[in-house]
Amino acid sequence: MKTLKEAYEALPEFRKRLEEILDKELQNGLRNIFLVGTGGTYSYALPMTYFAKKTSDFPVYAENGKELMTNQHKQLGEGSLCFYCSATGNTKDILQAMEYTRSKGAHNLAVVSVEDNPMKPLADYDFVVDGGSAMDMTFMLL
């Protein structure tokens, strides 16, 4: 396991890969981004969405995973990139939300703190952030 210092030193490479993914998605018709979470990950998504809305015209939504499935967000579908973070990748609501967003034609990006996790097969893109909280590391990119 990496130390927290080593994890933070890896941020530039993490950011570079994330930018490459976003460039690819934009070339393929990216229309919006969903930051999907539950509990702590949802609470992190709220300030990230606020920041995005204040600094960009690009549509970014913060959604609770269960509510996203129940409310059937009209903007979710092809051209959506859904961003998920988890420490273990075992949260049932998140796994269900990933299945749901994929069924709607969205692409899934997962950031998890452990290599072997159940989110990986549901993700079009995945990052393993060893040595720190997946959400903390992601928040540092803003």
Side-chain angles (χ1 to χ4, degrees):
M1 177 178 229
K2 291 181 183 176
T3 66
L4 188 57
K5 180 179 185 276
E6 291 169 327
Y8 284 125
E9 288 171 348
L11 277 175
E13 185 58 35
F14 180 85
R15 182 178 189 104
K16 179 182 176 200
R17 184 167 169 231
L18 182 59
E19 288 174 352
E20 290 169 354
I21 290 167
L22 290 172
D23 286 344
K24 177 183 175 185
E25 288 290 317
L26 283 166
Q27 290 172 2
N28 292 324
L30 182 65
R31 299 182 294 116
N32 52 47
I33 294 174
F34 284 80
L35 305 177
V36 185
T38 185
T41 55
Y42 177 65
S43 71
Y44 268 92
L46 295 172
M48 295 169 95
T49 302
Y50 177 82
F51 178 79
K53 288 179 179 178
K54 293 295 181 186
T55 59
S56 173
D57 292 328
F58 197 81
V60 178
Y61 306 99
E63 296 291 331
N64 174 284
K66 273 288 196 213
E67 290 177 8
L68 180 63
M69 291 183 290
T70 302
N71 296 335
Q72 300 182 6
H73 199 294
K74 290 181 182 180
Q75 300 303 316
L76 176 67
E78 290 185 25
S80 297
L81 179 62
C82 299
F83 191 96
Y84 297 89
C85 290
S86 177
T88 63
N90 292 320
T91 306
K92 186 185 294 185
D93 289 353
I94 293 302
L95 295 170
Q96 290 172 345
M98 290 182 79
E99 290 173 354
Y100 174 77
T101 55
R102 178 173 270 181
S103 76
K104 294 295 184 184
H107 289 159
N108 292 331
L109 185 149
V111 180
V112 189
S113 296
V114 294
E115 181 70 42
D116 187 24
N117 67 79
M119 290 173 71
K120 194 169 193 159
L122 299 170
D124 298 282
Y125 311 100
D126 69 288
F127 292 83
V128 176
V129 180
D130 186 18
S133 159
M135 284 305 296
D136 289 343
M137 299 299 286
T138 304
F139 197 69
M140 294 296 294
L141 294 175
L142 293 178

